């Protein structure tokens, strides 16, 4: 939901307070009323037939810069869904324009990088490797019916070649979605995202793991749900998550999980800040006989989203959420492992507080600070579930008009429900990284990243650390 600091118009101003208007435009203010984190906004009532939308300002998305539009699409389709992926200090691609093909706005690009890793797959005695990665991708959208509907899509493909005995690997992520506003008050969206990954799994200890993951969804929203002028927005949706591991050794990670949710929100401060409550009901099917199914999960949460009214200048935005989750799993049972007869996880009930925080602070026309915190119950290959606590922070700075720099760090702790007899050890992971991106021309960027990450468990043989240095180039087309 956050845009990156743009090394262009913002860098021309030297005084933060004098650029408040420009900052608001770069943040994407002016979005239609009723927007929420990760969900399309319902169009405002007074926008219904006022003007014919253009590419620059649609009924669904409002006014967007090319960079902001690309990042919205990239967040939906190109970024990994897992917790704990690489690129701690990496600055994402930043297209400065769009390529128009008929009514399609697209952002095609090519990328190539060269890395040196001290431990390419985060194993205890892993080898160093030089890694050459090549790939490319595209995101885009096609507005339909005078801007009331949109088809959105994205695809990113990477091929990696290793200098040591590791086999070459490929990873890709992509998806497609359809959104339509039936009226100024009623909208719906549906889509699906696919991922094929080989990197080590976040919140677990493992080396190279090939897997496929799919995330279909459908959402509907109703503005002014209690009558015109009530300003109460209702949303409901059904999400599905499915993971399939290529190797039988990781079959305990195979699962399918459903999440039905409803949400109500109200703008309690101006039109830019909303209070909301949300309820989720979850159930899952674990494909390994060693893991019990989730027969029913209940999650209650509430929070605030939008421009957070903690500053007088509107430089703080994001969301803060807290709640409680109670899960019930099928009872334990016995299964055979070779000649051994073992019992599945006995913990059939899990209850814990959960929460999330994602805020961006505009420290000035050149600097932004992003903070993400999360506590959640997640599927685990080492038991019925695991409690995950994670925090991320990024500081992004436009050093000069054509040069950006970022400092990032994260820390993560996962506590599986099963005991040590089945590998249920706590895992603590942390990392720090720094990255730069330099605009050579409107069509070409060069970047460099340097990061260190570490994994610590209750078993020393599963501990690992990695130092990685990367240089690369991105080429844009429009």
């Amino acid at each position: 939901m956050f845009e990156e600091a743009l090394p262009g118009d913002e860098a021309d101003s030297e005084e933060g307070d004098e650029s408040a208007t420009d900052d608001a435009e770069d943040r994407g203010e002016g979005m239609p009323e009723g927007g929420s984190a990760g969900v399309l906004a319902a169009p405002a009532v007074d926008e219904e037939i006022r003007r014919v939308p253009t590419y620059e300002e649609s009924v669904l998305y409002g006014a967007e810069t090319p960079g902001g539009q690309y990042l919205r699409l990239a967040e939906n389709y190109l970024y990994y869904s897992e917790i704990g992926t690489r690129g701690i200090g990496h600055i994402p691609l930043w297209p400065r324009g769009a390529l128009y093909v008929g009514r399609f706005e697209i952002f095609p690009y090519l990328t190539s990088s060269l890395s040196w890793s001290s431990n390419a797959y985060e194993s205890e005695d892993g080898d160093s490797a030089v890694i050459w990665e090549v790939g490319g991708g595209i995101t885009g959208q096609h507005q339909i019916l005078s801007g009331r509907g949109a088809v959105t899509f994205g695809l990113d493909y990477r091929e990696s070649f290793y200098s040591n005995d590791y086999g070459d690997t490929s990873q890709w992520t992509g998806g497609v979605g359809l959104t339509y506003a039936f009226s100024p008050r009623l909208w719906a969206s549906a889509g699906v995202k696919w991922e094929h990954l080989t990197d080590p799994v976040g919140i677990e200890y493992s080396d190279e793991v090939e897997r496929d993951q799919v995330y279909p969804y459908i959402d509907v929203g109703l503005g002014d749900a209690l009558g015109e002028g009530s300003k109460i927005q209702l949303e409901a949706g059904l999400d599905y998550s499915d993971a399939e591991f290529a190797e039988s050794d990781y079959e305990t990670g195979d699962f399918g999980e459903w999440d039905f949710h409803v949400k109500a929100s109200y703008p309690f401060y101006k039109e830019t800040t909303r209070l909301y409550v949300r309820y989720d009901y979850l159930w899952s099917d674990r494909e390994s006989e060693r893991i019990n199914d989730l027969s029913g999960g209940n999650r209650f949460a509430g929070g605030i989203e939008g421009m957070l009214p903690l500053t007088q200048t509107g430089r703080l935005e994001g969301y803060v959420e807290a709640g409680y989750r109670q899960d019930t799993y099928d009872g334990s049972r016995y299964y055979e492992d070779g000649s051994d007869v073992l019992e599945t996880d006995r913990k059939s009930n899990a209850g814990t507080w959960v929460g999330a925080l994602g805020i961006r602070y505009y420290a000035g026309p050149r600097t932004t600070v992003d903070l993400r915190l999360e506590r959640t119950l997640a599927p685990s290959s080492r038991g019925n579930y695991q409690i995950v606590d994670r925090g991320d922070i990024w500081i992004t700075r436009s050093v000069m008009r054509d040069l950006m720099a970022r400092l990032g760090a994260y820390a993560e702790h996962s506590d599986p429900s099963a005991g040590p007899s089945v590998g249920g050890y706590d895992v603590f992971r942390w990392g720090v990284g720094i990255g730069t991106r330099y605009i050579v021309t409107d069509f070409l960027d060069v970047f460099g990243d340097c990061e260190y990450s570490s994994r610590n468990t209750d078993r020393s043989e599963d501990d690992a650390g990695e130092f990685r240095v990367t240089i690369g180039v991105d080429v844009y087309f429009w």
Side-chain angles (χ1 to χ4, degrees), residues 69-125:
Q69 177 181 319
Y70 166 80
L71 282 178
R72 170 173 58 80
L73 296 168
E75 185 170 278
N76 287 339
Y77 302 120
L78 305 188
Y79 296 165
Y80 296 162
S81 300
E82 291 183 345
I83 297 176
T85 53
R86 285 176 172 147
I88 304 169
H90 180 69
I91 301 174
L93 288 89
W94 189 266
R96 272 79 72 183
L99 177 64
Y100 296 91
V101 180
R103 295 290 293 178
F104 283 89
E105 302 169 84
I106 61 175
F107 299 89
Y109 59 87
L110 295 175
T111 184
S112 179
S113 66
L114 191 66
S115 303
W116 178 84
S117 170
S118 64
N119 187 355
Y121 274 106
E122 298 182 6
S123 56
E124 180 199 6
D125 54 354

Side-chain angles (χ1 to χ4, degrees), residues 64-286:
E64 289 185 298
T65 63
Q69 177 181 319
Y70 166 80
L71 282 178
R72 170 173 58 80
L73 296 168
E75 185 170 278
N76 287 339
Y77 302 120
L78 305 188
Y79 296 165
Y80 296 162
S81 300
E82 291 183 345
I83 297 176
T85 53
R86 285 176 172 147
I88 304 169
H90 180 69
I91 301 174
L93 288 89
W94 189 266
R96 272 79 72 183
L99 177 64
Y100 296 91
V101 180
R103 295 290 293 178
F104 283 89
E105 302 169 84
I106 61 175
F107 299 89
Y109 59 87
L110 295 175
T111 184
S112 179
S113 66
L114 191 66
S115 303
W116 178 84
S117 170
S118 64
N119 187 355
Y121 274 106
E122 298 182 6
S123 56
E124 180 199 6
D125 54 354
D127 298 327
S128 63
V130 175
I131 308 163
W132 178 40
E133 183 178 84
V134 294
I138 186 173
T139 64
Q141 69 179 29
H142 173 48
Q143 295 184 30
I144 58 177
L145 300 176
S146 298
R148 293 196 175 278
V151 177
T152 57
F153 57 89
L155 174 67
D156 184 277
Y157 180 87
R158 307 291 175 100
E159 192 82 21
S160 298
F161 305 91
Y162 293 80
S163 63
N164 55 16
D165 294 334
Y166 287 116
D168 300 336
T169 63
S170 60
Q171 296 195 131
W172 60 269
T173 177
V176 62
L178 173 65
T179 300
Y180 181 69
F182 297 95
S183 72
R185 297 172 55 190
L186 178 64
W187 57 266
S189 63
V192 62
K193 179 180 180 181
W194 297 272
E195 296 175 340
H196 178 81
L197 307 178
T198 57
D199 274 353
V201 184
I203 65 177
E204 302 280 358
Y205 48 88
S206 59
D207 50 16
E208 178 186 353
V209 182
E210 185 177 0
R211 58 203 181 277
D212 291 283
Q213 300 172 164
V214 62
Y215 307 92
Y217 68 91
I218 182 170
D219 296 293
V220 295
L222 178 64
D224 289 337
L226 300 184
E228 187 171 347
S230 67
K231 297 185 179 181
I232 293 178
Q233 180 169 297
L234 298 180
E235 300 169 34
L238 182 63
D239 304 329
Y240 180 69
S241 304
D242 182 84
E244 298 287 342
F245 286 73
E247 299 180 27
S248 59
D249 291 344
Y250 294 101
E251 68 173 0
T252 54
D254 295 344
F255 74 94
E257 182 173 271
W258 297 87
D259 181 349
F260 171 75
H261 63 270
V262 292
K263 177 181 175 181
S265 62
Y266 180 79
F268 84 103
Y269 180 76
K270 299 181 180 180
E271 298 295 332
T272 59
T273 308
R274 304 184 72 88
L275 285 175
Y276 69 89
V277 292
R278 174 172 168 147
Y279 168 72
D280 292 71
Y281 181 75
L282 307 98
W283 67 99
S284 71
D285 177 22
R286 305 303 297 269

